[in-house]
Amino acid sequence: MEAEAAKFLGAGIACLGMGLAAMGVGNIFGNFLSGALRNPSAADGQFARAFIGAALAEGLGIFSLVVALVLLFVA
């Protein structure tokens, strides 16, 4: 019984990474918008970099989801 409780606890802690990834994506686009409003001529050059950063942050969130699912269903 304790092993199953530890499994659920570990999966819940692993899911924190998804929330942190969402906060990271919000931070990336918030800073991009702030920079674009300050210097609109440079916004086009930074738009692709903002999407690359968001993709990397979401990749880490998906990785934490996979770890949580492995803890729940495999371990």
Side-chain angles (χ1 to χ4, degrees), residues 4-5 15-16 23 28-29 31 33 37 41-42 44-45 51 56 68 70 74:
E4 190 167 340
C15 285
L16 288 174
M23 288 174 36
I28 288 169
F29 283 112
N31 286 332
L33 184 60
L37 291 175
S41 63
D44 290 336
F51 271 116
L56 291 174
V70 165
V74 177

Side-chain angles (χ1 to χ4, degrees), residues 4 7-12 15 66-75:
E4 190 167 340
K7 182 170 57 170
F8 289 140
L9 186 64
C15 285
V66 169
V67 168
L69 291 175
V70 165
L71 285 172
L72 283 176
F73 297 113
V74 177

Side-chain angles (χ1 to χ4, degrees), residues 34-47:
S34 175
L37 291 175
R38 287 177 189 243
N39 189 359
S41 63
D44 290 336
Q46 299 299 319
F47 192 66

